[in-house]
């Protein structure tokens, strides 16, 4: 089974989830939008999402990151549950979309792309940008993959500290785990898939 999926990790993202769902329906997407819901979200939100036609997947306990990064990373500190999506083996393939996205034209062709197809978003502003942006990813889930990715946390911390950053997000862990992604050009999607 294939599906679009997004993460609802705080109630602040709820309006975005509703708009993303409406935009996928507007372009006649062939696959449903599943909503992965963090444990911090009240149960009544599940009912609201289901009434609007969105299946809900309750995620296990949140991914732990060091408290110093939780305090300094602002809204990024709520996105680590995105790693759980890599283990949702009930699905053959997922196209992950951040809930601050709108789909303007049908993108069902992404389900034909290989695992970890993504955009090095931001090249229009930063032409030398090479890392993947985790706002849109093609994911082929695998048993145990979230744990393997979580093991890259220390590497991700070292990498952000090396550039003098005090912020850490799911994207940093994903890039630390898939460190060869910049050289795998077959995984690079056109920037039009993930633009500000």
């Amino acid at each position: 089974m294939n599906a679009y999926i997004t993460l609802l990790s705080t109630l602040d993202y709820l309006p975005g989830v509703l708009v993303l769902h409406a935009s996928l329906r507007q372009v006649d997407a062939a696959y449903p939008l599943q909503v992965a819901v963090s444990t911090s979200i009240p149960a009544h939100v599940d009912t609201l999402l289901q009434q609007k036609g969105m299946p809900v997947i309750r995620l296990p306990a949140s991914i732990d990151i060091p408290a110093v990064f939780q305090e300094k990373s602002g809204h990024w500190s709520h996105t680590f549950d995105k790693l759980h999506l890599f283990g949702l083996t009930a699905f053959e393939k997922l196209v992950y979309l951040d809930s601050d996205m709108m789909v303007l034209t049908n993108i069902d062709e992404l389900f034909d792309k290989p695992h970890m197809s993504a955009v090095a978003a931001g090249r229009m502003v930063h032409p030398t940008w090479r890392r993947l942006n985790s706002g849109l990813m093609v994911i082929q889930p695998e048993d145990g993959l979230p744990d393997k990715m979580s093991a890259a946390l220390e590497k991700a911390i070292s990498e952000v500290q090396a550039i003098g950053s005090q912020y850490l997000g799911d994207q940093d862990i994903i890039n630390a785990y898939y460190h060869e992604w910049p050289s795998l050009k077959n995984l690079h999607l056109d920037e039009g898939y993930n633009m500000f």
Side-chain angles (χ1 to χ4, degrees):
M1 181 167 80
N2 293 338
Y4 291 99
I5 195 162
T6 194
L7 174 66
L8 180 61
S9 55
T10 73
L11 289 177
D12 294 340
Y13 290 109
L14 183 57
V17 169
L18 299 175
V19 170
L20 174 61
H21 179 245
S23 72
L24 282 166
R25 293 179 79 172
Q26 190 79 25
V27 300
D28 295 322
Y31 305 99
L33 175 66
Q34 305 274 335
V35 182
V37 179
S38 296
T39 56
S40 60
I41 302 297
H44 74 271
V45 174
D46 296 15
T47 304
L48 169 71
L49 294 169
Q50 291 164 345
Q51 286 172 343
K52 299 216 175 263
M54 289 173 272
V56 172
I57 300 167
R58 274 279 164 179
L59 296 175
S62 293
I63 306 270
D64 274 337
I65 62 164
V68 65
F69 288 106
Q70 286 182 358
E71 294 160 9
K72 293 181 179 176
S73 297
H75 69 280
W76 301 120
S77 67
H78 301 288
T79 63
F80 292 96
D81 283 349
K82 198 181 289 185
L83 300 182
H84 286 305
L85 308 183
F86 288 81
L88 296 178
T89 55
F91 300 95
E92 183 177 330
K93 198 170 275 188
L94 296 166
V95 170
Y96 174 80
L97 301 166
D98 267 349
S99 62
D100 62 355
M101 297 183 113
M102 280 183 59
V103 179
L104 302 178
T105 186
N106 189 294
I107 56 171
D108 290 342
E109 71 274 5
L110 290 176
F111 289 95
D112 296 326
K113 303 291 184 184
H115 176 65
M116 290 316 297
S117 293
V119 174
R123 285 188 178 162
M124 291 180 152
V125 177
H126 305 287
T128 59
W129 188 257
R130 300 184 64 225
R131 301 172 73 206
L132 73 84
N133 181 286
S134 66
L136 179 148
M137 300 177 290
V138 178
I139 299 171
Q140 201 161 335
E142 176 187 316
D143 275 331
L145 187 51
D147 290 335
K148 292 177 191 173
M149 294 173 74
S150 295
L153 176 62
E154 293 303 320
K155 181 179 180 190
I157 290 171
S158 296
E159 289 174 354
V160 298
Q161 288 175 333
I163 60 170
S165 176
Q166 298 179 6
Y167 303 105
L168 181 75
D170 64 272
Q171 183 169 286
D172 298 304
I173 297 174
I174 293 168
N175 274 289
Y177 184 77
Y178 289 105
H179 58 91
E180 295 180 353
W181 188 89
S183 64
L184 302 174
K185 300 302 182 192
N186 65 313
L187 300 181
H188 294 210
L189 297 174
D190 183 276
E191 191 158 359
Y193 285 108
N194 187 356
M195 295 183 70
F196 287 111

